[in-house]
Amino acid sequence: MNSQHDYVLRTVEERDVRFIRLWFTDITGALKSVDMSPAELENAFEEGVGFDGSSVEGFSRVAESDTIAMPDPSTFKIMPSESGNDSLLTARMFCDIVQPDGSPSVVDPRNILRRQVEEAADDGFTCMIGPEIEFYLLQQTDDEADLRPTDNGGYFDQSTMNLAPEFRRTAIQILENVGIVTEFSHHETSPGQQEIDLRHTDALTMSDNIMTFRYLIKKVAQQQGARATFMPKPHKDWTGSGMHTHLSLFEGDSNAFHDPDDEFCLSTTAKQFIAGILHHAPELTAVTNQWVNSYKRLMFGNEAPGAATWGVSNRSAMVRVPTYRLNKPESRRVEIRSLDSSANPYLAYSVLLAAGLRGIRENYQLGEPAEDNVQELTRRERRAMGYIDLPNSLDHALRKLENSEFMAEVLGENVFEFFLRSKWEEFRNYQQQITSFELHNNLNY
């Protein structure tokens, strides 16, 4: 037992917490949970909580199913009441997944990210992350296919006649109550589309925050008679939902991305990091954009990147260098715009961090920034300018991934193989569908 364990045990007793939820994710980023009584908490800190790993997607085979969830006391938070009964307090902690011998599980997404964070630390860096998370608010109906938005607002619209402003205020208050600090919130470009930006923190904490964010946003929406979705592109004619991620590396208190003598205040380290992400972009896209639907956003979404480019204040580029407060060292960062809001944050940030670090270690060279609207260029024009297209389908992305020894090394053999197997199955199931488009165009032949 250490001081963090003592703090949790004392808080549970003093606040009369009745239930403890232990959280972790599967490989796709689906949130898993087991409830326990406070009486079992001290034992859980010492020995963990055993469960059947073979029943969790990609975790283990039946013959090796004994798996242990070890609660991380640093992630302890008291959660908002869901029933309205404040006397039944519930708390949650994220868990690290380990084997019976105590060794870290090679298929735990949280452990995969921790490994990359430790590699960055070995190079002298701390990775700081701040995402802009987009999602849709839909009317709550019994029809799964009914995607009517809760409002008809547009970008930055201030409305008082629908639930969107009240929803965002309530959501932000609840997020702040569980320690998730927000920076901005606003209506996005399409009807029903919202954005909430989280204040930057270290990569592992931010991934935990994103999982908590998605859980609470759905709960708040449900309580207000709406439905929230982080699906990358639920509407054909409206923009997709991205998770634009601002990322920087710090050496102690100094931002390693800042150089006041550079035209864009970008250090050599920052340029090499960007070059690493762009070089490896095709092979990591299956992880940052993991669903069939993800490619509807990349191919047809407004301001969603279709090519591995970088630009200064250019929102059509995959990697954008913001020019706000250009001479402020702590603000120097890069924005990765390809991620969508339904990515598994642990794995997505693992592959991005690994690619950027490889760019630094191997001195990758960064080309000239894109100055055009990349989305308006034809495929031939992009190639003539030396731009590499991102995969345009899950099938294309998986082919890039399965040929990448680098991504296999980052994810680990077990996760790499399971991810490919699972996603190929998803794509085959998608291909089997007979759509209304096909029936409309081909039935009469």
Side-chain angles (χ1 to χ4, degrees):
M1 289 289 174
N2 58 34
S3 58
Q4 288 183 325
H5 295 128
D6 292 339
Y7 168 77
V8 172
L9 292 169
R10 185 173 64 255
T11 302
V12 167
E13 182 177 1
E14 291 175 353
R15 296 290 301 275
D16 194 23
V17 175
R18 299 297 184 89
F19 302 98
I20 311 292
R21 288 180 177 167
L22 304 182
W23 282 3
F24 60 95
T25 75
D26 68 10
I27 289 173
T28 66
L31 188 63
K32 303 295 180 179
S33 176
V34 58
D35 285 8
M36 63 182 296
S37 69
E40 299 299 319
L41 184 54
E42 187 170 355
N43 187 60
F45 280 142
E46 293 179 353
E47 301 178 2
V49 175
F51 66 97
D52 177 6
S54 67
S55 296
V56 178
E57 285 291 308
F59 264 38
S60 60
R61 296 173 295 183
V62 172
E64 304 166 341
S65 60
D66 286 349
T67 312
I68 297 171
M70 295 293 299
D72 179 351
S74 70
T75 66
F76 175 83
K77 295 292 180 185
I78 294 177
M79 300 296 284
S81 172
E82 296 177 11
S83 63
N85 186 350
D86 291 333
S87 67
L88 298 177
L89 279 183
T90 299
R92 72 98 169 99
M93 280 182 286
F94 281 93
C95 292
D96 294 312
I97 307 303
V98 301
Q99 300 303 314
D101 64 1
S103 61
S105 169
V106 295
V107 297
D108 177 15
R110 202 165 184 262
N111 182 53
I112 291 171
L113 178 56
R114 179 181 283 108
R115 191 164 64 240
Q116 290 304 317
V117 168
E118 290 172 350
E119 290 197 16
D122 290 341
D123 292 343
F125 298 121
T126 299
C127 180
M128 302 297 286
I129 288 176
E132 303 172 0
I133 308 176
E134 298 171 343
F135 57 95
Y136 274 93
L137 276 184
L138 307 174
Q139 294 185 33
Q140 185 71 270
T141 70
D142 294 330
D143 183 359
E144 185 76 14
D146 187 350
L147 302 181
R148 284 177 295 168
T150 54
D151 63 75
N152 291 313
Y155 189 65
F156 267 39
D157 274 1
Q158 175 61 55
S159 173
T160 58
M161 301 303 292
N162 56 62
L163 65 79
E166 178 62 28
F167 168 86
R168 291 198 302 271
R169 285 194 294 269
T170 302
I172 287 170
Q173 182 178 5
I174 288 175
L175 291 168
E176 298 270 356
N177 287 345
V178 297
I180 298 176
V181 183
T182 62
E183 288 191 327
F184 306 103
S185 74
H186 60 86
H187 199 287
E188 257 298 336
T189 57
S190 298
Q193 192 178 33
Q194 318 296 322
E195 176 179 308
I196 298 178
D197 304 346
L198 305 187
R199 181 179 292 277
H200 66 273
T201 187
D202 68 275
L204 194 60
T205 300
M206 182 54 72
S207 297
D208 291 342
N209 285 350
I210 291 170
M211 294 308 304
T212 306
F213 176 97
R214 295 203 292 225
Y215 174 84
L216 290 175
I217 289 295
K218 286 179 176 289
K219 285 295 182 182
V220 174
Q222 187 179 43
Q223 290 168 359
Q224 297 196 5
R227 177 168 50 143
T229 177
F230 296 91
M231 183 178 178
K233 200 171 193 305
H235 300 283
K236 172 180 173 290
D237 298 320
W238 297 338
T239 57
S241 292
M243 188 165 67
H244 303 157
T245 293
H246 296 258
L247 196 152
S248 57
L249 297 180
F250 277 74
E251 295 175 296
D253 294 329
S254 299
N255 189 342
F257 280 4
H258 183 74
D259 180 357
D261 297 325
D262 180 76
E263 179 184 3
F264 307 120
C265 294
L266 279 181
S267 68
T268 299
T269 296
K271 294 174 182 177
Q272 293 168 339
F273 189 90
I274 295 171
I277 288 177
L278 296 182
H279 180 82
H280 295 288
E283 65 204 88
L284 61 79
T285 297
V287 180
T288 58
N289 306 83
Q290 65 171 325
W291 307 105
V292 165
N293 182 256
S294 298
Y295 297 86
K296 307 292 177 70
R297 169 181 169 262
L298 288 182
M299 287 292 291
F300 306 107
N302 185 35
E303 293 187 355
T309 59
W310 78 284
V312 179
S313 196
N314 185 346
R315 283 179 165 79
S316 71
M318 175 185 167
V319 180
R320 184 178 79 95
V321 177
T323 55
Y324 309 122
R325 300 179 294 277
L326 198 62
N327 295 312
K328 188 177 180 181
E330 56 268 33
S331 295
R332 188 54 37 235
R333 62 195 187 276
V334 299
E335 177 189 1
I336 318 298
R337 296 180 61 83
S338 54
L339 285 82
D340 61 49
S341 293
S342 62
N344 181 335
Y346 302 102
L347 297 187
Y349 292 149
S350 292
V351 297
L352 288 173
L353 181 56
L357 290 174
R358 174 166 282 200
I360 296 170
R361 293 175 188 138
E362 300 190 7
N363 192 26
Y364 285 12
Q365 297 301 300
L366 185 62
E368 293 299 313
E371 297 180 349
D372 301 304
N373 185 339
V374 181
Q375 293 171 312
E376 294 181 351
L377 299 175
T378 66
R379 187 177 182 185
R380 180 175 296 178
E381 288 171 332
R382 290 197 300 271
R383 287 189 171 184
M385 299 176 79
Y387 301 155
I388 300 173
D389 283 341
L390 294 177
N392 58 20
S393 68
L394 182 59
D395 166 56
H396 187 190
L398 292 174
R399 293 184 191 279
K400 294 291 186 182
L401 177 64
E402 69 182 356
N403 290 320
S404 173
E405 293 182 5
F406 177 45
M407 286 296 104
E409 176 187 332
V410 173
L411 297 174
E413 181 182 349
N414 297 73
V415 170
F416 183 75
E417 293 296 335
F418 173 81
F419 188 89
L420 283 169
R421 196 163 56 246
S422 171
K423 291 301 172 179
W424 277 124
E425 182 180 1
E426 177 188 340
F427 187 73
R428 283 193 296 270
N429 290 339
Y430 171 71
Q431 286 183 303
Q432 287 179 342
Q433 305 304 307
I434 308 300
T435 65
S436 59
F437 178 90
E438 294 167 278
L439 293 173
H440 177 76
N441 285 279
N442 304 135
L443 192 60
N444 291 329
Y445 279 88

